[in-house]
Amino acid sequence: MFVSLALVGGLLAGCSGNGNNSGASGGTEGASGEKAEKKVTLTFWRNSGNDAENSAYDKLVASFMEKYPNIKVEMSPIPYSDYDTKLRTSIASGNPPDIMAIDAPNMASYAHAGALKPLTSYFQADGDLQDIPESTINTYTYNKEIYMSPLTESSIALFYNKKLFEEKGIPLPSKNPEEPWTWDQVLDAAKKINDPGKGIFGIDPAQGFNNAGATAYFKYPIVWQFGGEVMSPDGTTSKGYLDSPETKKALQFFSDLYNTEKVSALEYPPDPFPNGKLGITVDGSWSLSYLTEKFPNFKLGVDYDIAPLPKGTRQAVANGSWALGISAKSKNPDEAWKFVNWVTSAEGQKTYVGITKDIPVRYSAAKEFPELNEYPKNIFVVQDQKFGRSRPITPIFPQMSEAVNKLFEEVTIGKRNIDAAVTDAIQKIDKAYSDLPAK
C-alpha cells in the first residue's frame, strides 16, 4: 500500500492550525493560585533498528521521562519495510504521531505536504545551532525553515587492499581526510591492480547498481566531485544542472570504468573486497564493524586501509541520516520539542553514540569520543563536517532519484548516449515536479 503525499497534503490543508493549542508552560490554576504542570502524553514513531539502536532509544526515553515526569513518551518502533507506508497513512488519516523519525532525503516531501512543524524558532531559542555543521542543518531545511533535528551521521570513504597495492608497487593514499587522491590517481591504481585472469577487479566505485537510494548516497558525490550538480538549489528542476558539462564528465568517467578501462564489473563474487578479489571499493563507516566481525583475519592496517573519498575538482560526500521531526498536528508541540531537543542534544548524542558507535552530528559530541578523532573514523567525521552535502532537497526526491538511478544504468550498462539519456532524465524529473500538487 502506498499513500501519496498529494493525498496527505490535501487532507492537511483542511486541518492547519491545530498544532499550537498548548505550550510548554501550559497548566491549570490550582486552589492555591499556583500553576500545576499538565500531564502530557506524546506518541513517538521510529523505524526499528538493531539491538544497539533500540537500547539507546530506550535509555533516552527513560531518562527523559525521569527528567520530565509530567511528560509520558509512548515510543513505537516499526519495522523499516513498513515504516514509511504506516507513517504516510497515519498522516493522511489525520492521526499522526506527535514525533516522527524521517530519513533526510524524504524530509522535503513531508514538509511540502504540511505534515511537519517548522522547528526554526525552537532551534534559535535553545537548539544550540552553532554546534551543528551548517551543511548538516541545510540538509534538514526546506523553504528556509528547519524541519528536523539530526542525531547521527554516516559516511563513505575509499577502502583499499593494502597488500595488493604493495604487490604492485603503488604508493598508498594519504590518511589525512583533507588530502584525497584524485580520481585519476584512483584509476591508475585500479588499472595496475586489475587482473581479470585471476578474477581480481580494480575498483567498485559506488557499490554496484542497487536501488535509487543507494545511487543517491554513493553516486551523487562523484557528480559533485567533478563539479557537477543534480538539481537546482531550490529543488525545482534538473535543467541546467544534470545536463551541465561537469555532470556529463562525471557520468562519462563512471561509465568508462566499466566499458573503456574495464576495471569495474557489473557483478562481483560475494564479499570481493575482504576475499582479495577487489582492490578498491567505496564503502561506508558501518562496514568497519562488519569486516571486523565477519572477516577477523582481514585486518585494518595490515590487509586493508582507508582514505578519504577521491576528488575531481573538489571534495564532497553525501550527508543526512534519520532525524526527528514534530507533526504539524501535534497538540503538544512545545513538549514534543523538549523531547526532540533532549534526544538530539550533545548529551543525548553522547548517550546514543556511546551505545551504537555511530557518528554524532554535533561537534561537541564528536570531540568526546577519542576514536572519532583518530584514524580511521576521523576520516568519516571530518568529511561530514567539512565536505558534507545534502542530496537534492526536493519534494519529488523519490522520482528524481529513480530517474538519476536509471540514468547511471543506461549510460553504463546500456551504453546509451549520455546526451540522450540526460535529456530523458531531465524530462522525467521536471515532469514529476510540474505534476506536484500545490501546497
Side-chain angles (χ1 to χ4, degrees):
M1 175 183 179
F2 176 77
V3 179
S4 74
L5 278 168
L7 173 59
V8 173
L11 286 169
L12 285 173
C15 303
S16 61
N18 291 337
N20 296 300
N21 57 2
S22 69
S25 60
T28 58
E29 289 280 330
S32 64
E34 295 180 352
K35 184 172 284 188
E37 282 196 61
K38 65 178 181 179
K39 300 285 187 178
V40 168
T41 297
L42 300 173
T43 51
F44 168 38
W45 287 14
R46 64 176 180 85
N47 57 310
S48 59
N50 57 38
D51 289 345
E53 292 165 345
N54 294 335
S55 175
Y57 265 118
D58 286 343
K59 185 172 183 178
L60 284 167
V61 170
S63 64
F64 174 80
M65 291 194 293
E66 183 178 354
K67 173 75 172 179
Y68 298 98
N70 289 306
I71 305 176
K72 179 181 180 182
V73 178
E74 295 181 345
M75 180 171 61
S76 298
I78 298 169
Y80 174 80
S81 58
D82 300 328
Y83 184 76
D84 197 53
T85 297
K86 286 192 174 184
L87 183 57
R88 292 173 189 260
T89 301
S90 73
I91 294 169
S93 66
N95 190 34
D98 294 286
I99 303 155
M100 58 192 80
I102 297 175
D103 198 6
N106 296 327
M107 176 274 299
S109 61
Y110 284 93
H112 181 84
L116 292 172
K117 181 177 180 61
L119 303 180
T120 309
S121 60
Y122 289 111
F123 265 108
Q124 291 171 342
D126 64 352
D128 201 9
L129 271 173
Q130 70 275 9
D131 197 30
I132 304 173
E134 183 178 357
S135 60
T136 300
I137 283 295
N138 291 342
T139 296
Y140 303 98
T141 301
Y142 178 67
N143 285 345
K144 300 182 180 180
E145 291 279 5
I146 305 170
Y147 280 96
M148 304 199 73
S149 187
L151 177 59
T152 62
E153 276 286 11
S154 60
S155 190
I156 56 179
L158 196 74
F159 288 57
Y160 63 95
N161 187 306
K162 187 176 180 180
K163 288 187 174 179
L164 287 178
F165 269 61
E166 291 171 342
E167 286 175 11
K168 299 295 182 179
I170 303 170
L172 302 182
S174 171
K175 295 177 181 178
N176 186 332
E178 299 185 60
E179 294 180 358
W181 265 13
T182 66
W183 272 109
D184 286 339
Q185 288 175 293
V186 173
L187 174 58
D188 182 64
K191 289 162 69 173
K192 291 175 180 176
I193 291 168
N194 203 56
D195 192 344
K198 294 183 179 179
I200 298 175
F201 300 94
I203 181 172
D204 180 355
Q207 291 297 304
F209 295 85
N210 296 306
N211 59 42
T215 292
Y217 200 68
F218 284 92
K219 297 183 177 66
Y220 291 7
I222 298 176
V223 172
W224 301 329
Q225 288 154 9
F226 277 82
E229 299 291 345
V230 176
M231 288 193 79
S232 59
D234 62 4
T236 62
T237 182
S238 281
K239 184 67 176 175
Y241 300 90
L242 198 59
D243 54 354
S244 70
E246 293 83 4
T247 299
K248 290 180 180 179
K249 184 177 180 180
L251 288 166
Q252 187 67 63
F253 180 87
F254 186 87
S255 175
D256 285 349
L257 292 176
Y258 293 82
N259 298 314
T260 302
E261 307 294 350
K262 301 187 186 301
V263 294
S264 301
L266 297 178
E267 293 186 11
Y268 297 96
D271 291 308
F273 183 65
N275 285 323
K277 299 299 182 182
L278 183 61
I280 306 168
T281 187
V282 173
D283 211 339
S285 51
W286 55 87
S287 291
L288 291 170
S289 58
Y290 174 80
L291 292 172
T292 299
E293 179 184 352
K294 300 295 183 181
F295 298 91
N297 295 323
F298 187 66
K299 297 186 181 298
L300 178 70
V302 178
D303 301 289
Y304 77 99
D305 265 319
I306 299 171
L309 283 183
K311 69 175 182 179
T313 59
R314 61 187 178 187
Q315 283 187 260
V317 61
N319 66 12
S321 187
W322 289 82
L324 302 186
I326 298 173
S327 169
K329 292 192 68 177
S330 175
K331 294 180 180 180
N332 301 288
D334 293 347
E335 288 84 356
W337 169 252
K338 278 188 176 182
F339 176 74
V340 169
N341 203 26
W342 175 270
V343 171
T344 62
S345 68
E347 288 303 315
Q349 291 189 15
K350 284 189 283 186
T351 296
Y352 188 90
V353 169
I355 297 172
T356 66
K357 309 306 178 186
D358 287 320
I359 298 172
V361 164
R362 292 185 177 272
Y363 292 117
S364 60
K367 289 178 181 177
E368 293 294 319
F369 296 91
E371 66 269 24
L372 296 180
N373 298 282
E374 301 168 353
Y375 173 84
K377 288 192 174 181
N378 69 313
I379 290 176
F380 301 104
V381 174
V382 172
Q383 283 188 147
D384 270 328
Q385 292 179 349
K386 293 192 173 183
F387 308 109
R389 291 192 48 166
S390 61
R391 287 156 281 182
I393 301 169
T394 176
I396 59 159
F397 185 87
Q399 300 97 312
M400 179 277 301
S401 198
E402 186 59 43
V404 177
N405 185 47
K406 185 71 172 176
L407 170 61
F408 271 92
E409 289 182 353
E410 287 182 346
V411 301
T412 304
I413 301 174
K415 302 179 183 179
R416 190 182 180 194
N417 175 271
I418 286 179
D419 289 339
V422 166
T423 297
D424 282 357
I426 290 173
Q427 289 176 348
K428 292 175 186 175
I429 293 167
D430 287 2
K431 183 180 187 305
Y433 195 87
S434 67
D435 290 344
L436 191 67
K439 185 173 179 181

